[in-house]
Amino acid sequence: MMTALNDRAAFIADIETRVSAVFKAYQDNSSVAPATLFRLEGFIEAGCALGLLSEDQAKRLIQSVWENTLTEPFPESARHRIMIPVMMRRAPVYPSS
């Protein structure tokens, strides 16, 4: 039988897995679709609204996964709200003739 504590722990572990997958894609120089980021942020915000974790816990979790996965400093702009920072390669631009 699942208890609220188990549900909460499973939810937080799921968030960590999803955020880690996004940041590992960045580490591999892959892009992540904006829709994926927006869905993940909404998923995290829903967990906060349901009381499965606090906003502070969510922000710390995102930052922790970033710091454990990437060598870049965590963006200051993402410290104050639930946000999955974007770190995609710049698209190649070729001069027109």
Side-chain angles (χ1 to χ4, degrees):
M1 177 181 225
M2 241 357 195
T3 65
L5 186 58
N6 288 341
D7 290 344
R8 179 175 290 130
F11 184 80
I12 292 170
D14 191 29
I15 290 172
E16 189 168 357
T17 298
R18 292 175 188 220
V19 172
S20 182
V22 168
F23 294 159
K24 284 181 181 169
Y26 292 161
Q27 186 179 46
D28 295 340
N29 288 319
S30 296
S31 295
V32 178
T36 299
L37 300 176
F38 296 147
R39 275 194 309 271
L40 181 51
E41 289 170 350
F43 182 73
I44 295 168
E45 288 179 1
C48 292
L50 292 170
L52 296 172
L53 75 165
S54 71
E55 282 193 36
D56 283 341
Q57 285 175 304
K59 290 184 280 190
R60 284 193 310 267
L61 187 145
I62 293 166
Q63 183 173 349
S64 174
V65 174
W66 174 284
E67 290 171 348
N68 289 328
T69 307
L70 302 166
T71 57
E72 300 288 322
F74 190 71
E76 186 64 34
S77 62
R79 292 181 192 272
H80 307 292
R81 60 190 175 122
I82 295 173
M83 178 183 157
I84 308 298
V86 176
M87 189 175 139
M88 292 186 277
R89 291 180 294 159
R90 188 176 171 103
V93 178
Y94 300 101
S96 60
S97 45

PDB file of all heavy atoms in Angstrom, residues 3-26:
ATOM      1  N   THR A   3       1.822   5.033   0.744  1.00  0.00           N
ATOM      2  CA  THR A   3       1.487   6.076   1.704  1.00  0.00           C
ATOM      3  C   THR A   3       1.803   7.424   1.087  1.00  0.00           C
ATOM      4  O   THR A   3       2.481   7.502   0.057  1.00  0.00           O
ATOM      5  CB  THR A   3       2.315   5.910   3.000  1.00  0.00           C
ATOM      6  OG1 THR A   3       3.692   6.127   2.680  1.00  0.00           O
ATOM      7  CG2 THR A   3       2.121   4.536   3.617  1.00  0.00           C
ATOM      8  N   ALA A   4       1.316   8.485   1.727  1.00  0.00           N
ATOM      9  CA  ALA A   4       1.591   9.834   1.221  1.00  0.00           C
ATOM     10  C   ALA A   4       3.087  10.095   1.164  1.00  0.00           C
ATOM     11  O   ALA A   4       3.581  10.725   0.229  1.00  0.00           O
ATOM     12  CB  ALA A   4       0.887  10.875   2.088  1.00  0.00           C
ATOM     13  N   LEU A   5       3.822   9.590   2.155  1.00  0.00           N
ATOM     14  CA  LEU A   5       5.276   9.790   2.177  1.00  0.00           C
ATOM     15  C   LEU A   5       5.929   9.093   0.990  1.00  0.00           C
ATOM     16  O   LEU A   5       6.810   9.647   0.338  1.00  0.00           O
ATOM     17  CB  LEU A   5       5.861   9.277   3.494  1.00  0.00           C
ATOM     18  CG  LEU A   5       7.343   9.533   3.726  1.00  0.00           C
ATOM     19  CD1 LEU A   5       7.654  11.028   3.658  1.00  0.00           C
ATOM     20  CD2 LEU A   5       7.773   8.982   5.070  1.00  0.00           C
ATOM     21  N   ASN A   6       5.492   7.878   0.677  1.00  0.00           N
ATOM     22  CA  ASN A   6       6.024   7.167  -0.485  1.00  0.00           C
ATOM     23  C   ASN A   6       5.669   7.881  -1.779  1.00  0.00           C
ATOM     24  O   ASN A   6       6.485   7.951  -2.694  1.00  0.00           O
ATOM     25  CB  ASN A   6       5.504   5.726  -0.531  1.00  0.00           C
ATOM     26  CG  ASN A   6       6.125   4.852   0.530  1.00  0.00           C
ATOM     27  OD1 ASN A   6       7.164   5.168   1.078  1.00  0.00           O
ATOM     28  ND2 ASN A   6       5.463   3.761   0.835  1.00  0.00           N
ATOM     29  N   ASP A   7       4.426   8.382  -1.865  1.00  0.00           N
ATOM     30  CA  ASP A   7       4.007   9.127  -3.051  1.00  0.00           C
ATOM     31  C   ASP A   7       4.881  10.361  -3.243  1.00  0.00           C
ATOM     32  O   ASP A   7       5.312  10.662  -4.342  1.00  0.00           O
ATOM     33  CB  ASP A   7       2.545   9.561  -2.944  1.00  0.00           C
ATOM     34  CG  ASP A   7       1.567   8.404  -3.037  1.00  0.00           C
ATOM     35  OD1 ASP A   7       1.974   7.309  -3.480  1.00  0.00           O
ATOM     36  OD2 ASP A   7       0.399   8.604  -2.664  1.00  0.00           O
ATOM     37  N   ARG A   8       5.125  11.071  -2.162  1.00  0.00           N
ATOM     38  CA  ARG A   8       5.949  12.287  -2.212  1.00  0.00           C
ATOM     39  C   ARG A   8       7.366  11.938  -2.659  1.00  0.00           C
ATOM     40  O   ARG A   8       7.915  12.586  -3.548  1.00  0.00           O
ATOM     41  CB  ARG A   8       5.954  12.961  -0.843  1.00  0.00           C
ATOM     42  CG  ARG A   8       6.801  14.217  -0.791  1.00  0.00           C
ATOM     43  CD  ARG A   8       6.681  14.934   0.538  1.00  0.00           C
ATOM     44  NE  ARG A   8       5.347  15.502   0.618  1.00  0.00           N
ATOM     45  CZ  ARG A   8       4.522  15.360   1.656  1.00  0.00           C
ATOM     46  NH1 ARG A   8       4.891  14.678   2.716  1.00  0.00           N
ATOM     47  NH2 ARG A   8       3.336  15.915   1.638  1.00  0.00           N
ATOM     48  N   ALA A   9       7.951  10.909  -2.072  1.00  0.00           N
ATOM     49  CA  ALA A   9       9.314  10.515  -2.429  1.00  0.00           C
ATOM     50  C   ALA A   9       9.382  10.060  -3.880  1.00  0.00           C
ATOM     51  O   ALA A   9      10.332  10.402  -4.599  1.00  0.00           O
ATOM     52  CB  ALA A   9       9.797   9.397  -1.498  1.00  0.00           C
ATOM     53  N   ALA A  10       8.388   9.321  -4.330  1.00  0.00           N
ATOM     54  CA  ALA A  10       8.361   8.861  -5.722  1.00  0.00           C
ATOM     55  C   ALA A  10       8.215  10.039  -6.674  1.00  0.00           C
ATOM     56  O   ALA A  10       8.855  10.074  -7.733  1.00  0.00           O
ATOM     57  CB  ALA A  10       7.221   7.866  -5.931  1.00  0.00           C
ATOM     58  N   PHE A  11       7.391  10.997  -6.311  1.00  0.00           N
ATOM     59  CA  PHE A  11       7.201  12.184  -7.154  1.00  0.00           C
ATOM     60  C   PHE A  11       8.503  12.972  -7.273  1.00  0.00           C
ATOM     61  O   PHE A  11       8.908  13.357  -8.369  1.00  0.00           O
ATOM     62  CB  PHE A  11       6.082  13.067  -6.585  1.00  0.00           C
ATOM     63  CG  PHE A  11       5.771  14.253  -7.443  1.00  0.00           C
ATOM     64  CD1 PHE A  11       4.970  14.119  -8.561  1.00  0.00           C
ATOM     65  CD2 PHE A  11       6.292  15.498  -7.143  1.00  0.00           C
ATOM     66  CE1 PHE A  11       4.684  15.214  -9.370  1.00  0.00           C
ATOM     67  CE2 PHE A  11       6.015  16.590  -7.938  1.00  0.00           C
ATOM     68  CZ  PHE A  11       5.211  16.455  -9.056  1.00  0.00           C
ATOM     69  N   ILE A  12       9.161  13.201  -6.153  1.00  0.00           N
ATOM     70  CA  ILE A  12      10.422  13.950  -6.160  1.00  0.00           C
ATOM     71  C   ILE A  12      11.491  13.201  -6.949  1.00  0.00           C
ATOM     72  O   ILE A  12      12.245  13.805  -7.713  1.00  0.00           O
ATOM     73  CB  ILE A  12      10.861  14.279  -4.721  1.00  0.00           C
ATOM     74  CG1 ILE A  12       9.883  15.294  -4.112  1.00  0.00           C
ATOM     75  CG2 ILE A  12      12.294  14.809  -4.688  1.00  0.00           C
ATOM     76  CD1 ILE A  12      10.063  15.533  -2.628  1.00  0.00           C
ATOM     77  N   ALA A  13      11.546  11.889  -6.798  1.00  0.00           N
ATOM     78  CA  ALA A  13      12.509  11.090  -7.570  1.00  0.00           C
ATOM     79  C   ALA A  13      12.206  11.182  -9.062  1.00  0.00           C
ATOM     80  O   ALA A  13      13.134  11.254  -9.886  1.00  0.00           O
ATOM     81  CB  ALA A  13      12.476   9.632  -7.113  1.00  0.00           C
ATOM     82  N   ASP A  14      10.927  11.211  -9.428  1.00  0.00           N
ATOM     83  CA  ASP A  14      10.542  11.343 -10.832  1.00  0.00           C
ATOM     84  C   ASP A  14      10.974  12.700 -11.384  1.00  0.00           C
ATOM     85  O   ASP A  14      11.501  12.783 -12.497  1.00  0.00           O
ATOM     86  CB  ASP A  14       9.033  11.153 -10.985  1.00  0.00           C
ATOM     87  CG  ASP A  14       8.600  11.021 -12.433  1.00  0.00           C
ATOM     88  OD1 ASP A  14       9.402  10.536 -13.269  1.00  0.00           O
ATOM     89  OD2 ASP A  14       7.452  11.387 -12.736  1.00  0.00           O
ATOM     90  N   ILE A  15      10.787  13.751 -10.608  1.00  0.00           N
ATOM     91  CA  ILE A  15      11.243  15.080 -11.032  1.00  0.00           C
ATOM     92  C   ILE A  15      12.748  15.052 -11.263  1.00  0.00           C
ATOM     93  O   ILE A  15      13.239  15.536 -12.283  1.00  0.00           O
ATOM     94  CB  ILE A  15      10.890  16.164  -9.991  1.00  0.00           C
ATOM     95  CG1 ILE A  15       9.388  16.402  -9.957  1.00  0.00           C
ATOM     96  CG2 ILE A  15      11.631  17.472 -10.303  1.00  0.00           C
ATOM     97  CD1 ILE A  15       8.957  17.314  -8.826  1.00  0.00           C
ATOM     98  N   GLU A  16      13.474  14.498 -10.319  1.00  0.00           N
ATOM     99  CA  GLU A  16      14.934  14.450 -10.440  1.00  0.00           C
ATOM    100  C   GLU A  16      15.354  13.694 -11.700  1.00  0.00           C
ATOM    101  O   GLU A  16      16.262  14.125 -12.419  1.00  0.00           O
ATOM    102  CB  GLU A  16      15.545  13.805  -9.199  1.00  0.00           C
ATOM    103  CG  GLU A  16      17.037  13.918  -9.156  1.00  0.00           C
ATOM    104  CD  GLU A  16      17.617  13.540  -7.807  1.00  0.00           C
ATOM    105  OE1 GLU A  16      16.874  13.236  -6.872  1.00  0.00           O
ATOM    106  OE2 GLU A  16      18.858  13.558  -7.715  1.00  0.00           O
ATOM    107  N   THR A  17      14.689  12.601 -11.999  1.00  0.00           N
ATOM    108  CA  THR A  17      14.986  11.823 -13.205  1.00  0.00           C
ATOM    109  C   THR A  17      14.723  12.638 -14.461  1.00  0.00           C
ATOM    110  O   THR A  17      15.539  12.654 -15.395  1.00  0.00           O
ATOM    111  CB  THR A  17      14.142  10.530 -13.226  1.00  0.00           C
ATOM    112  OG1 THR A  17      14.497   9.749 -12.079  1.00  0.00           O
ATOM    113  CG2 THR A  17      14.372   9.729 -14.487  1.00  0.00           C
ATOM    114  N   ARG A  18      13.586  13.331 -14.494  1.00  0.00           N
ATOM    115  CA  ARG A  18      13.222  14.120 -15.681  1.00  0.00           C
ATOM    116  C   ARG A  18      14.162  15.305 -15.880  1.00  0.00           C
ATOM    117  O   ARG A  18      14.590  15.584 -17.000  1.00  0.00           O
ATOM    118  CB  ARG A  18      11.782  14.615 -15.566  1.00  0.00           C
ATOM    119  CG  ARG A  18      10.754  13.523 -15.639  1.00  0.00           C
ATOM    120  CD  ARG A  18       9.374  14.086 -15.406  1.00  0.00           C
ATOM    121  NE  ARG A  18       8.357  13.073 -15.287  1.00  0.00           N
ATOM    122  CZ  ARG A  18       7.151  13.174 -15.815  1.00  0.00           C
ATOM    123  NH1 ARG A  18       6.799  14.244 -16.497  1.00  0.00           N
ATOM    124  NH2 ARG A  18       6.269  12.212 -15.648  1.00  0.00           N
ATOM    125  N   VAL A  19      14.471  16.021 -14.798  1.00  0.00           N
ATOM    126  CA  VAL A  19      15.378  17.170 -14.890  1.00  0.00           C
ATOM    127  C   VAL A  19      16.771  16.685 -15.293  1.00  0.00           C
ATOM    128  O   VAL A  19      17.434  17.303 -16.136  1.00  0.00           O
ATOM    129  CB  VAL A  19      15.410  17.961 -13.563  1.00  0.00           C
ATOM    130  CG1 VAL A  19      16.495  19.024 -13.580  1.00  0.00           C
ATOM    131  CG2 VAL A  19      14.048  18.608 -13.291  1.00  0.00           C
ATOM    132  N   SER A  20      17.196  15.579 -14.724  1.00  0.00           N
ATOM    133  CA  SER A  20      18.502  15.016 -15.064  1.00  0.00           C
ATOM    134  C   SER A  20      18.580  14.670 -16.549  1.00  0.00           C
ATOM    135  O   SER A  20      19.608  14.923 -17.199  1.00  0.00           O
ATOM    136  CB  SER A  20      18.762  13.777 -14.211  1.00  0.00           C
ATOM    137  OG  SER A  20      20.026  13.250 -14.485  1.00  0.00           O
ATOM    138  N   ALA A  21      17.519  14.122 -17.111  1.00  0.00           N
ATOM    139  CA  ALA A  21      17.505  13.775 -18.539  1.00  0.00           C
ATOM    140  C   ALA A  21      17.665  15.025 -19.400  1.00  0.00           C
ATOM    141  O   ALA A  21      18.383  15.009 -20.409  1.00  0.00           O
ATOM    142  CB  ALA A  21      16.212  13.046 -18.893  1.00  0.00           C
ATOM    143  N   VAL A  22      17.021  16.118 -19.005  1.00  0.00           N
ATOM    144  CA  VAL A  22      17.151  17.377 -19.750  1.00  0.00           C
ATOM    145  C   VAL A  22      18.594  17.866 -19.694  1.00  0.00           C
ATOM    146  O   VAL A  22      19.194  18.194 -20.722  1.00  0.00           O
ATOM    147  CB  VAL A  22      16.186  18.451 -19.190  1.00  0.00           C
ATOM    148  CG1 VAL A  22      16.523  19.839 -19.744  1.00  0.00           C
ATOM    149  CG2 VAL A  22      14.743  18.088 -19.506  1.00  0.00           C
ATOM    150  N   PHE A  23      19.170  17.895 -18.500  1.00  0.00           N
ATOM    151  CA  PHE A  23      20.522  18.425 -18.360  1.00  0.00           C
ATOM    152  C   PHE A  23      21.561  17.503 -18.998  1.00  0.00           C
ATOM    153  O   PHE A  23      22.579  17.970 -19.504  1.00  0.00           O
ATOM    154  CB  PHE A  23      20.847  18.706 -16.894  1.00  0.00           C
ATOM    155  CG  PHE A  23      20.002  19.827 -16.309  1.00  0.00           C
ATOM    156  CD1 PHE A  23      19.842  19.938 -14.945  1.00  0.00           C
ATOM    157  CD2 PHE A  23      19.354  20.755 -17.109  1.00  0.00           C
ATOM    158  CE1 PHE A  23      19.086  20.963 -14.393  1.00  0.00           C
ATOM    159  CE2 PHE A  23      18.588  21.775 -16.576  1.00  0.00           C
ATOM    160  CZ  PHE A  23      18.451  21.878 -15.208  1.00  0.00           C
ATOM    161  N   LYS A  24      21.311  16.200 -19.000  1.00  0.00           N
ATOM    162  CA  LYS A  24      22.221  15.280 -19.697  1.00  0.00           C
ATOM    163  C   LYS A  24      22.156  15.503 -21.204  1.00  0.00           C
ATOM    164  O   LYS A  24      23.166  15.388 -21.894  1.00  0.00           O
ATOM    165  CB  LYS A  24      21.906  13.838 -19.328  1.00  0.00           C
ATOM    166  CG  LYS A  24      22.415  13.492 -17.954  1.00  0.00           C
ATOM    167  CD  LYS A  24      22.145  12.060 -17.571  1.00  0.00           C
ATOM    168  CE  LYS A  24      22.685  11.858 -16.155  1.00  0.00           C
ATOM    169  NZ  LYS A  24      22.259  10.607 -15.583  1.00  0.00           N
ATOM    170  N   ALA A  25      20.983  15.853 -21.714  1.00  0.00           N
ATOM    171  CA  ALA A  25      20.877  16.190 -23.137  1.00  0.00           C
ATOM    172  C   ALA A  25      21.730  17.426 -23.432  1.00  0.00           C
ATOM    173  O   ALA A  25      22.443  17.470 -24.436  1.00  0.00           O
ATOM    174  CB  ALA A  25      19.418  16.427 -23.526  1.00  0.00           C
ATOM    175  N   TYR A  26      21.675  18.421 -22.553  1.00  0.00           N
ATOM    176  CA  TYR A  26      22.520  19.611 -22.725  1.00  0.00           C
ATOM    177  C   TYR A  26      23.994  19.216 -22.699  1.00  0.00           C
ATOM    178  O   TYR A  26      24.787  19.692 -23.504  1.00  0.00           O
ATOM    179  CB  TYR A  26      22.271  20.632 -21.616  1.00  0.00           C
ATOM    180  CG  TYR A  26      20.933  21.306 -21.624  1.00  0.00           C
ATOM    181  CD1 TYR A  26      20.459  21.940 -20.482  1.00  0.00           C
ATOM    182  CD2 TYR A  26      20.121  21.346 -22.757  1.00  0.00           C
ATOM    183  CE1 TYR A  26      19.241  22.577 -20.462  1.00  0.00           C
ATOM    184  CE2 TYR A  26      18.901  21.980 -22.743  1.00  0.00           C
ATOM    185  CZ  TYR A  26      18.463  22.598 -21.594  1.00  0.00           C
ATOM    186  OH  TYR A  26      17.253  23.245 -21.569  1.00  0.00           O
TER     187      TYR A  26
END
